[in-house]
Amino acid sequence: MISDNYNEDLAITRAPHKDYPQAVPASFYIDPKKCLFLNYETCQICIPTCQAKAIDFSQKEERLDLSVGAVILAPGFGRISDKVLARYGYGHFPDVVTSLEFERIMCASGPSRGEIIRPSDGKHPQKIAFLQCIGSRDITSGNGYCSSVCCMYAVKEATVVKEHAPDVDISIFYMDMRTAGKGFDASRQRARDTHHLRFIRSRVAEVRERGDKLRLSYADSEGNHREDDFDMVVLSVGLESPEDAQSLARTAGIKLNQYDFCDTKAFLPLDASRPGVYVAGAFQGPKDIPESVMQAIGSAAAAAEILREARGTEVIRKEYPSEMGIAKEPRIGVFVCHCGINIGGVIDITEVAKYAQTLKDVVFVDDSLYSCSQDSQKVIKDAIKEHNLNRVVVAACTPRTHEPLFQETLRDIGLNRCLFEMVNIRDQCSWVHAHEPEEATSKAKDLVRMAVAKARLLYPLPEQTVPVIPKALVIGGGIAGMTAASSIAEQGFECFLVENSAQLGGNLRRLKTTLTGEDPGQLLNEVEARVRNHPRIRVYTNTQIENVSGYIGNFASTLSTETGSEVIEHGVVVVATGGREHRLNKYLYGQSKHVLTQLELEEILSAPEKAKKINEVVMIQCAGSRGDDLSYCSKLCCGQAVKNALRLKELNPAASIYVLYRDVRTYGFMEDYYREAREKGVVFIKYEKENPPVVMPNDDKITVEFMDVLLGEKVKLEPDLVALSVGIVPNEVEELAKLLKIPLNQENFFLEAHVKLRPVEMAVSGVYVCGLAHSPKPIDESIGQARAAAGKACVPLSKGFVAVEPIVSSVGKDKCIGCGICESLCPYKAIHLIKVDKKKKAETITASCKGCGICAAHCPTLAISMGGFTNEEIMAQIRAFGQC
Amino acid sequence: MGREHGAKSGAVLVVGGGVAGVQAALDLAEMGFHVYLVEKSASIGGAMARLDKTFPTNDCAL
């Protein structure tokens, strides 16, 4: 027995094992560090035990020489050293755990099967403390940077605990709550209010053991010394650079930064120092999943740019066997999934499987621990072959995530993928009826019976593809739009870049410096020259998008230019419409010449002789953001304030600068500049949302009054200038959103298809988003996201076709009376009337159809049916409900 | 690989099989490139495969 690394060493496993049931590849492996034979030349029990004779100790390490055109480095992150963790009692007290260990403790497939227990005595903790910034924002630990993800995962872990056990008392000890990402602040507030999480702004000094509890000592926000006892302490550990960063850097020939992360520049966030080598994910700097995914797509695009001539030269295409003919009589196979204890912990799976066997036309039933694992796919394939199955029903989790996997399994064996039906016994049974196992089991049986009734009537549907016009439309000529256009063109495709104002550049025109010292003017000149001179890019300025019709692969857009209208045809659309500084009616903005925005201050600071005359500045953060005018955090203002403060200090070291803030959100390596600003004497003072600073006129000057919590008294200042961090609002896009039929969120930013895994795609296929139109973000993230949007946009362009889901509507021409109700109701312009033998008949435009079923539901003669959801199929399913 | 001397390779090496590496590999394959995805541990998935749920939607990480 050896400790199980996958479970953070909280469980034991054997030397031959696989990390988790869904692991890919699915085969077992032998841990070479723990195997008795490999270390002591003894044992070898596994060889005769393995019935498949799959154990072969004669295998040797192989050396492969690969010839590649580009390299993408995505080695992830390393762990904070035990030495740093030991300061907080880790290693001494068993109930001090890291957040990663806690993640496994909470997980249904973890060592305690999802039961939240203390490692010391297996008891349920009643009071838990989360300690933030462990190994982050701490130069004594060697890591001056902020790890950018811990605030979010701590809130998540606290929420999950509360969902398991609502009575647990949770305190989160933090320095600044850095939930700066899109929608993150709202989620944090929701979690705090729903679950009554306690947020304590303090760095815990010491963790001691006191009886069976852990005593924390800390100073509260008024500076008073406090102590409190907890049952369990979770250390929110930061992201360290990978352990092998230095050897990887040597091998790849790239530079690292001072913290051993990959060194990149603000304007080339995905380019390592060696040409042809790109970086994605936490190795570029600590970051969360959506940012990592964006960089990954962006770095793929970067590689595709330099290798465009070689595209397709080395691919191996997947061949599917031709579809087998299916017998008339349905032969149904039912596969029921335990999903570990996620379903099996509530529902009696054996009983459901036994019941399925009694249903008409069911000839094979099996249950598996995880039906999504690779072995289970093989079981399904073998059963199809052996029992001549021609319909497959899987009772497991949601078809939203897992239907494509099972459909692929069907295709692999030569069965049409539409001969598949999925039953969601997780969300609809084991989750919602977790406390009523018998009822949940009985409902699962009902759902399986209904699915089988529907499956009997399923029939094969043809795979359809639509050709793609290999051109892109990019809307918006700021840095995001220009970067996307440039990448698409470099990947080998024609691109129309449309800007509604007179010049390219957007907000970049107003930037004078960056925090890391790059020159935005030079970037603007370079990128503008690149897009204007590129043979595959056509730039339109002073141009509006009048109309967009069509669908992925075949869009036609009407542009209204200075010289008239023009229709362009293209296969994809990238939306990069940008945003701008918010304008607010507060803090005397627009009334006093002493009150400016940060961008206006940046303008003044670009003229040193003016800047030298500024002796005192008060910066007000979140002026308008985070619940004032705008509900969200604008993410970039803290960095902008630090940048301007440092610039002013450089020009006039004697200047007094006060930054009034709610949380300083200089995440990642920006933290170094925040520290530098404090070291240079910039004063940061926290204020509460309920008690904001007040700016008052004072003859020709202004007075700022605010509460200093540490001093416990009100402070009045008479600065030369007040700089407001006003936040970012999106540009007006309601019309465009309607034209493209893509959703906006409450704040009018475009809503991506999936927050984590599809951060640049939209709900409508063929439309992608990047830059400030997606959410407020600093310039390096806009550039990275723009390259990602270009990467995704080039997928259909390089394939040359798109596959259409077979669930589209079809019209029975003999039943259709040509009334046109369907055409008037279709939200996607996907069904229209045509003349057939002088009579009007409806016809579906397959590539535009989203399969929503509105047309079928409203057809007075039931002439329209939906692929995979015909009236007969649905009626049979409903009828089966009453036939228990 | 039968390539003309000096011609660019249509293959890309991706180092690391976590969510970033897997995403890059999938997109490159979709774009028409051959991908070598190298991971030092026995299965892909990286840190994300160890997470229970993800912020802010609490979706299953696997």
Side-chain angles (χ1 to χ4, degrees), chain A residues 5-6 19-20 24 29 66-72 74-75 77 103-104 106-107 152 156 184 187 244 296-297 300 306-307 310-312 314-316 756 791-792 795 799, chain B residues 1 3 8-16 19-21 23-24 27-28 30-34 36 40 42-44 47-56 58-59 62:
Chain A
N5 288 142
Y6 173 74
D19 284 343
Y20 52 105
V24 177
Y29 74 102
L66 304 175
S67 165
V68 295
V71 176
I72 293 174
F77 56 89
E103 196 82 40
R104 297 314 304 155
M106 291 189 313
C107 186
M152 276 68 74
K156 172 197 74 178
F184 288 4
S187 299
D244 53 358
I297 310 168
I306 57 165
L307 300 180
R311 180 196 296 280
E314 291 183 32
V315 287
I316 305 158
K756 287 234 134 43
K792 278 291 177 195
V795 168
K799 275 188 174 168
Chain B
M1 296 225 171
R3 208 176 327 114
K8 277 181 183 166
S9 162
V12 180
L13 171 68
V14 177
V15 182
V19 63
Q23 181 72 50
D27 284 318
L28 282 164
E30 291 266 305
M31 290 171 186
F33 296 96
H34 188 94
Y36 300 102
K40 65 181 169 188
S43 56
I44 57 172
M48 191 171 171
R50 287 162 201 250
L51 301 185
D52 177 31
K53 304 213 162 69
T54 57
F55 180 89
N58 279 8
D59 276 344
L62 280 176

Side-chain angles (χ1 to χ4, degrees), chain A residues 323-335 360-366 376-394 409-411 413-417 419-420 455 458 460:
Chain A
E323 274 180 22
M324 48 177 124
I326 58 165
K328 239 187 165 179
E329 291 306 308
R331 293 181 61 80
I332 305 175
V334 179
F335 300 85
K360 193 177 162 220
D361 297 328
V362 172
V363 296
F364 181 81
V365 178
D366 191 30
S376 297
Q377 305 317 299
K378 189 165 181 305
V379 170
I380 296 174
K381 284 184 207 169
D382 291 348
I384 293 173
K385 253 197 283 186
E386 200 175 312
H387 301 275
N388 276 324
L389 303 181
N390 54 26
R391 311 282 191 285
V392 172
V393 173
V394 171
T409 301
L410 263 62
R411 286 185 79 183
I413 196 81
L415 203 58
N416 185 279
R417 66 180 166 124
L419 299 166
F420 174 78
L458 292 174

Side-chain angles (χ1 to χ4, degrees), chain A residues 816-834:
Chain A
C816 176
I817 52 168
C819 67
I821 292 177
C822 52
E823 185 180 14
S824 65
L825 289 176
C826 177
Y828 306 103
K829 295 185 194 160
I831 194 161
H832 62 169
L833 291 182
I834 52 160

Side-chain angles (χ1 to χ4, degrees), chain A residues 122-353:
Chain A
K123 283 190 189 153
H124 297 238
Q126 291 307 307
K127 209 169 158 196
I128 302 176
F130 283 82
L131 272 47
Q132 300 305 106
C133 302
I134 305 298
S136 307
R137 302 183 65 185
D138 174 10
I139 34 178
T140 65
S141 76
N143 294 343
Y145 56 85
C146 158
S147 290
S148 309
V149 299
C150 326
C151 286
M152 276 68 74
Y153 74 57
V155 170
K156 172 197 74 178
E157 291 185 357
T159 305
V160 174
V161 173
K162 283 292 212 175
E163 280 168 359
H164 278 259
D167 294 333
V168 175
D169 180 291
I170 294 184
S171 302
I172 298 177
F173 291 86
Y174 73 103
M175 302 212 287
D176 292 281
M177 255 299 132
R178 292 187 167 172
T179 44
K182 188 179 186 180
F184 288 4
D185 248 344
S187 299
R188 177 184 58 87
Q189 266 163 31
R190 229 177 6 254
R192 188 194 59 193
D193 299 342
T194 332
H195 297 300
H196 310 289
L197 305 177
R198 256 195 318 153
F199 286 89
I200 300 166
R201 189 162 185 269
S202 177
R203 191 152 201 156
V204 170
E206 198 188 10
V207 179
R208 279 174 293 154
E209 214 168 20
R210 183 153 176 101
D212 66 343
K213 298 204 182 289
L214 295 157
R215 175 159 292 185
L216 306 191
S217 24
Y218 62 97
D220 68 13
S221 54
E222 273 95 39
N224 305 311
H225 176 80
R226 293 197 178 273
E227 289 189 330
D228 202 354
D229 291 345
F230 292 86
D231 298 323
M232 200 165 173
V233 170
V234 181
L235 303 180
S236 291
V237 290
L239 308 190
E240 181 70 80
S241 60
E243 284 92 21
D244 53 358
Q246 295 202 359
S247 65
L248 180 65
R250 267 195 305 277
T251 312
I254 57 150
K255 280 190 205 147
L256 299 177
N257 73 7
Q258 58 160 321
Y259 296 117
D260 277 359
F261 287 85
C262 183
D263 189 34
T264 57
K265 300 280 168 270
F267 298 153
L268 288 169
L270 310 174
D271 295 54
S273 57
R274 177 175 174 183
V277 181
Y278 304 97
V279 61
F283 184 42
Q284 192 262 345
K287 62 178 58 63
D288 61 4
I289 296 166
E291 293 292 335
S292 297
V293 170
M294 269 185 243
Q295 289 199 330
I297 310 168
S299 61
E305 288 171 30
I306 57 165
L307 300 180
R308 68 171 175 274
E309 298 97 342
R311 180 196 296 280
T313 54
E314 291 183 32
V315 287
I316 305 158
R317 305 225 174 265
K318 179 169 182 180
E319 303 282 344
Y320 292 101
S322 54
E323 274 180 22
M324 48 177 124
I326 58 165
K328 239 187 165 179
E329 291 306 308
R331 293 181 61 80
I332 305 175
V334 179
F335 300 85
V336 193
C337 177
H338 291 257
C339 193
I341 57 158
N342 211 344
I343 300 174
V346 177
I347 294 173
D348 184 342
I349 298 293
T350 323
E351 195 182 322
V352 177

